[in-house]
Amino acid sequence: MRKLLYLGIVGIILYEIAKVYFIMPMPGSQQMNSIDIAYFLHSWRWAFRIVFWVMIIAGCTTALMGKWKWIAVILLMIAGAVTYGTNYEMAADTMFYQPSQVILHNASQNKVKDDRLVIGVEVNGEAKAYPIQFIGYHHQVRDVLGGKPVIVTYCTVCRTGRVFEPIVEGKPDEFRLVGMDHFNAMFEDKRTGSWWRQANGEAIAGPLKGQVLPELAVTQTTVSQWLRLHPNSKIMQPDPSFQAKYDSMSRYESGKGKSALTKTDTTAWKEKSWVVGLKAGSHSKAYDWNVLIKQRVINDRVGETPVALVIAADNKSFFAFQKEVGQEFTIRNDTLFAQNAAYNLLGKPVTGDAMDLKRINAYQEFWHSWRTFHPETAQY
């Protein structure tokens, strides 16, 4: 019976560590294609726990009565500590909490500094912006925009901001942060328990594997630039309950963080170099951030689609458009010029009778992230 105790303790310790190892940033874990193993361990967690703890309980009667009972007591304490630590101290949704309230103010009441980066989104004429400093800690913020439920997500390890409609099987759902896969945040829906990748909204494990959440168009820009383009927008304000967490994020958006997971490579095409990624149909392309700042406007093609990628004078706000064949853009004072037409950074004409430019989602990411989730990407 004593052997049952020892086997049960070893089993529960190895199981709880393995369950966390495959979905958290531990040495080697994020380089593996191990999501199916991780989901299996998660799905059968109660079966594993019941078996191992039954073995432990069955073996305790004998082990705690012998002369080596102190060894059994120590091993039981270690098993309990590992179980608690992996399920509470190291669980993603207990490390990064949701805001207790989503506070939104208009421009006149806004307290967020003008040069802070935000993920801006507009739905049905209603615009809101969510500072990266805040959503980078929370990983997701739930809100309603233009009458639609939305989840505003951000993964600091990939430097990816995305906004989705939280619609699962045709109905609004809730999501919790469950861990990460290939260094990208991963969410679990409440209805089916499927796991969804933050970088593209795809379900990568569970009953809905292969399905994709509806994604909304977003803009990464500064507060001041966003308010110039959307003067009636509301800006998310800090939740006082998490001010210390926000303060720890204050250097992140400028690339000055010191964490190995979130620091920035300043030279091109390194793991943590900044790129801007564009998608057009089935094609994708990455543009080095330093080249974009130098050129200001990049006239190019993604696949067969002519595109223009531009950066504003603040060197932080960027925008992408689909253009006509042969059309070439220049930029001056945050105004785009092409032939006899001029446009603002939303692609709306400011002179003449030109049509609106078609916006393309543009994403600033670490190179390792864009390359991983767009393996066929081209490089500019």
Side-chain angles (χ1 to χ4, degrees), residues 184-214:
N184 185 241
M186 189 167 54
F187 300 99
E188 180 183 72
D189 72 71
K190 188 175 183 179
R191 179 170 286 108
T192 74
S194 299
W195 287 357
W196 303 78
R197 179 180 288 149
Q198 183 270 345
N200 56 13
E202 179 187 4
I204 56 175
L208 301 184
K209 184 175 181 178
Q211 295 192 26
V212 179
L213 295 174

Side-chain angles (χ1 to χ4, degrees), residues 91-355:
D93 58 347
T94 59
M95 295 171 67
F96 305 100
Y97 289 97
Q98 288 291 292
S100 56
Q101 53 184 328
V102 179
I103 305 168
L104 293 145
H105 286 167
N106 57 27
S108 63
Q109 298 175 304
N110 171 54
K111 302 298 182 183
V112 181
K113 292 182 180 179
D114 285 348
D115 62 347
R116 286 293 185 183
L117 290 179
V118 296
I119 298 298
V121 61
E122 182 180 8
V123 176
N124 296 331
E126 184 178 18
K128 293 182 181 180
Y130 304 83
I132 287 176
Q133 184 182 10
F134 307 154
I135 59 174
Y137 163 70
H138 294 298
H139 284 70
Q140 66 154 324
V141 171
R142 304 166 191 164
D143 202 3
V144 176
L145 182 61
K148 290 184 177 183
V150 297
I151 49 171
V152 183
T153 71
Y154 198 88
C155 177
T156 55
V157 182
C158 285
R159 203 174 177 89
T160 56
R162 302 285 191 274
V163 179
F164 302 103
E165 292 183 56
I167 304 299
V168 176
E169 297 185 319
K171 298 178 182 179
D173 205 344
E174 294 182 5
F175 292 77
R176 74 179 186 95
L177 183 67
V178 71
M180 61 171 53
D181 174 60
H182 287 86
F183 293 106
N184 185 241
M186 189 167 54
F187 300 99
E188 180 183 72
D189 72 71
K190 188 175 183 179
R191 179 170 286 108
T192 74
S194 299
W195 287 357
W196 303 78
R197 179 180 288 149
Q198 183 270 345
N200 56 13
E202 179 187 4
I204 56 175
L208 301 184
K209 184 175 181 178
Q211 295 192 26
V212 179
L213 295 174
E215 184 180 359
L216 302 179
V218 298
T219 303
Q220 181 175 307
T221 179
T222 59
V223 170
S224 57
Q225 186 67 259
W226 179 257
L227 288 175
R228 276 195 290 272
L229 298 171
H230 302 274
N232 296 321
S233 176
K234 291 185 177 181
I235 310 294
M236 180 184 173
Q237 305 298 301
D239 182 334
S241 303
F242 299 99
Q243 191 60 55
K245 300 295 185 181
Y246 301 149
D247 290 344
S248 70
M249 287 283 299
S250 62
R251 294 165 59 88
Y252 169 81
E253 63 195 59
S254 62
K256 296 179 180 178
K258 296 182 179 180
S259 166
L261 290 172
T262 59
K263 66 180 181 180
T264 295
D265 289 316
T266 56
T267 54
W269 309 115
K270 304 296 185 182
E271 291 294 287
K272 294 289 185 179
S273 300
W274 293 1
V275 301
V276 174
L278 301 184
K279 285 189 65 179
S282 61
H283 298 277
S284 59
K285 200 164 192 176
Y287 299 81
D288 175 52
W289 182 257
N290 297 318
V291 171
L292 176 59
I293 289 179
K294 182 179 180 180
Q295 295 190 12
R296 316 303 305 176
V297 178
I298 296 177
N299 292 283
D300 194 29
R301 287 177 177 267
V302 178
E304 296 301 317
T305 304
V307 299
L309 176 61
V310 304
I311 192 165
D314 59 19
N315 283 343
K316 296 181 178 181
S317 309
F318 57 93
F319 308 82
F321 306 92
Q322 182 175 328
K323 60 180 187 173
E324 300 295 328
V325 176
Q327 196 174 34
E328 294 291 307
F329 284 97
T330 59
I331 190 169
R332 186 172 66 253
N333 298 326
D334 286 348
T335 300
L336 288 168
F337 297 92
Q339 282 76 45
N340 296 320
Y343 306 84
N344 67 14
L345 292 176
L346 291 177
K348 297 184 179 299
V350 295
T351 60
D353 299 322
M355 301 287 289

Side-chain angles (χ1 to χ4, degrees), residues 27-43:
S29 68
Q30 295 298 303
Q31 286 83 6
M32 303 181 203
N33 294 318
S34 57
I35 192 65
D36 291 332
I37 296 173
Y39 192 76
F40 171 79
L41 293 174
H42 173 77
S43 299

